Amino acid sequence: MLEVRDLMKSFGGLKAVDGASLDVDQGAIVGLIGPNGAGKTTLFATIAGFHKPDGGRVRFEGKDTTGLPPHLLCERGMVRTFQITQPFARLSVIENIMVGAYLRTADRSEASARATDVARRVGLGDRLEAPAGDLTVAGRKRLELARALATAPKLLLLDEVMAGLNPTEVTAIVEIVRAIRADGVTILLIEHVMQAVMSLAEHVYVLNDGRIIADGAPRAIASEPKVIEAYLGRGAAERMSAHA
Amino acid sequence: MSRRAMLWCAAGLLVAILYPLLFGGPSLIARSNYAINVAFLILFAAFLGQSWNIAGGYAGQTSFGHVVFFGTGAYVSTILHVSHGWNPWLAWPVAIASGGLVGAIIGVLSFRAGLRGSYFALITLAFAEVFRIVANSIPQTRGGLGILIKADQRPENFQFRDPMWFYYLALVLCVIGLAIAWWLTRSRFGARLAAIRENEDAAMALGIDVFREKVRVLALSGAMCAAGGTVYAQKYLYLDPSIAFGVEKSVEMLLVSMIGGAGTIFGPLIGSGVLHLVGEITRDLGNVVPGIKNAQPLALIVYGLILVVIVAYLPDGLTGLLRRRR
């Protein structure tokens, strides 16, 4: 469904994404992990059209979408959420979600019905009239998810929807993400909460210094020496196996 | 809209319709062109403020140079009328379209360049100044001399012997402005504008063509404002560059919206009412309080104070105050 090939993005002299490639199959949940500063969010933003890539290609559903602006990608069914939540703070929860729903309908009551339905699915059903600015961190993460879902996406790019949440809240979001996939939405997620990645993703890519250094099933990836070194430093893998 | 709000609107409209009958026309109480003219100014400034509010309040595109649209409308209809012999009623739609076009052009130029917030505000101010200087220099506008419209007080000539009719015209414009604002609160376009105002990146991520919507709203706002320009020219029958493109008018539009509550339906109307009543009262202070010879600066001081208080304590304007009370 999504093919990323040798994607490059630099800021000044810094190569934030340096030839990253990955594939997401229809109906999958794919994880993207990596240490802080690895370039995950930049890779996401470049795939989703927020940055113009300096090189490489992105194909979505078999069509070249490299460098298309975000609103056109969203129309085609690819939508991202933001790691730092970006609510329309002075609008109510339902108004926030309706902005997403309006992508597929111009009719107010239809948008409202769709938004209400999405709000229920992410557990915001009882907070519809609250100003988005009043939501807790967990509430805002749900709102990010809801707005994106309301655009009726085929591919959802989730950027750390679980960061900053307590374990109970993480479990709740994991369930919601599973339910979204069950409805036929393909998911690519950046996540730091390993518990979530391990239990959700079937396939995981590891990004370090703007390159994909490993990919595979989550369990296998966690014991990959290259991955351990990326997180813990050179030689860490050897020391760990020596201790074991 | 709730039934109660609808009732209030209907009552307000009824009062507005009956108002001139109390003071003007077939006089019941006493004929007072003064009362009619103050009411005209309130409604007229409310309409211009509403045009600002559509872009500045609803879409968050704060402009300091909205007068550029007002002046465009005023000059286009006046030049067509005076120099080319058009009937002003026919020139009016052309003036409105020109305002929309200028809005679209300014929008394309500034939003293409990625100007946001205070940068956008400054570029609009610059556009208005450029228009003023051009109007001062080219023969079509007769430069600084200005254009006199020949008095010929016939309704088919867009001139009315009785100021009541200009009052009603302003009332119609004002109601149209309110209707547009109301439509924005319940339409997809309005929802998109609110999203853009709150967070452009998130709006973009949710499939909104931010550039296109911003250009559209500026064109709509410009067209509305230009409609007011023609009315002004036809009422006062004189136009010069500083009337048409003077910064005071831009400030007034922004002020009535901010005082009443930017991004609210009735904000500009409330703000305009308060501002003009304060203006009228302070003007009279000159006659009442001994020692004050010229009350004009006094009005400005009071405006300034009101603005400071509003900005400091009521970021949502007077409408916000009413809402908080509830």
Side-chain angles (χ1 to χ4, degrees), chain A residues 60-92:
Chain A
F60 177 58
E61 293 194 301
K63 293 194 190 81
D64 192 346
T65 60
T66 319
L68 279 189
H71 67 267
L72 291 182
L73 288 170
C74 187
E75 219 159 86
R76 291 189 186 195
M78 183 203 295
V79 64
R80 74 172 285 200
T81 66
F82 291 90
Q83 177 185 355
I84 300 160
T85 56
Q86 312 275 350
F88 305 126
R90 292 198 296 162
L91 305 187
S92 67

Side-chain angles (χ1 to χ4, degrees), chain A residues 107-182:
Chain A
D107 182 71
R108 180 178 150 89
S109 49
E110 203 183 322
S112 166
R114 193 195 284 253
T116 310
D117 176 52
V118 170
R120 290 217 184 91
R121 279 161 68 192
V122 303
L124 284 172
D126 54 346
R127 305 238 40 200
L128 291 179
E129 298 303 327
D134 289 357
L135 293 178
T136 59
V137 175
R140 286 174 187 219
K141 296 278 185 186
R142 285 171 196 248
L143 183 60
E144 280 283 320
L145 201 54
R147 281 193 320 201
L149 268 185
T151 66
K154 294 173 189 157
L155 173 65
L156 195 51
L157 306 176
L158 301 179
D159 193 349
E160 298 208 21
V161 279
M162 293 163 218
L165 303 189
N166 67 39
T168 324
E169 291 163 345
V170 168
T171 315
I173 296 267
V174 165
E175 284 318 309
I176 292 168
V177 173
R178 280 221 182 88
I180 292 169
R181 194 262 295 267

